[in-house]
Amino acid sequence: MRINETNLEKFRQYATGGRVVIFDTETTGCSRWDEICRIAAVEYVDGVRAHTLSLYICPTCEMNPWAEGVHGLSLDFLSEHGLAPEEAMRQFFEFLGSDALLVAHNNKFDMRMLNQECEKFDLCFAPDGIETCDTVALARHLRPGLDSYSLANLIEALDIDGTNSHDALDDAFACAGVFFALLS
């Protein structure tokens, strides 16, 4: 979604008086053949944290060594602790529900991975009333001129608690801090 004054007002309304679901994924790589291997989300209702979701997923493809080096999730660990992709996506979509603002840092990547997952496993992702927000685009609009719009840099620039640890749940919390700080 493009960032303009109308959308900023809509985002502020969600942040203070609606449902916001902030999520992050870890993946087996960045190509169209890769899959999500962890998904985490944090739900806020009227600006207050309500629920969290964190799922490991057992991918059906190989793990790119670079990706494993970033997030530390091995295929052995995921095969022992992960859900089947279809079950994990079902749980995530149930958690997301409808009538929410779905937020991610670099939302294009995470949404592309969600859509790839749905296509690969013949799942339907068409939730009613879901708007999306990218904290990278939001930060570029509201805080122009920063050297970097990485999650780590925004955490520092906005002086918020959180780390960019490449752990999906930690990063969802950090993204939430960025989202709410930018809109305050």
Side-chain angles (χ1 to χ4, degrees):
M1 178 178 282
R2 284 186 86 59
I3 306 296
N4 56 38
E5 291 309 312
T6 301
N7 289 335
L8 279 176
E9 183 55 33
K10 187 183 297 187
F11 298 158
R12 285 187 181 102
Q13 288 173 0
Y14 273 110
T16 59
R19 259 184 92 240
V20 178
V21 175
I22 301 174
F23 83 109
D24 187 48
T25 61
E26 304 302 337
T27 63
T28 61
C30 297
S31 79
R32 63 185 181 109
W33 297 281
D34 285 301
E35 297 175 17
I36 297 171
C37 59
R38 184 162 186 210
I39 192 165
V42 185
E43 176 193 37
Y44 291 82
V45 178
D46 301 334
V48 177
R49 186 172 71 202
H51 299 97
T52 61
L53 175 79
S54 180
L55 304 171
Y56 293 106
I57 304 169
C58 185
T60 63
C61 66
E62 293 298 314
M63 177 72 70
N64 181 310
W66 172 86
E68 184 175 340
V70 170
H71 52 59
L73 299 173
S74 69
L75 286 179
D76 288 342
F77 175 86
L78 294 167
S79 65
E80 185 176 335
H81 301 285
L83 298 170
E86 300 89 343
E87 175 60 17
M89 291 300 101
R90 185 195 63 73
Q91 287 186 34
F92 174 72
F93 295 148
E94 186 176 288
F95 182 88
L96 175 59
S98 61
D99 300 319
L101 179 65
L102 183 60
V103 179
H105 192 74
N106 191 13
N107 200 344
K108 288 180 185 179
F109 175 79
D110 293 293
M111 293 302 292
R112 179 174 62 85
M113 294 306 294
L114 273 179
N115 287 321
Q116 278 181 206
E117 204 85 352
C118 288
E119 186 176 310
K120 186 170 189 174
F121 297 103
D122 198 29
L123 304 169
C124 179
F125 177 48
D128 294 326
I130 299 296
E131 304 277 349
T132 61
C133 176
D134 179 4
T135 53
V136 173
L138 188 63
R140 284 187 174 135
H141 183 82
L142 294 173
R143 298 291 298 263
L146 293 178
D147 291 337
S148 166
Y149 292 91
S150 70
L151 187 55
N153 192 63
L154 288 173
I155 290 166
E156 184 179 328
L158 297 170
D159 193 31
I160 59 173
D161 289 334
T163 59
N164 180 212
S165 65
H166 298 288
D167 171 275
L169 188 57
D170 286 349
D171 290 355
F173 279 124
C175 183
V178 167
F179 174 77
F180 286 106
L182 286 168
L183 292 176
S184 64

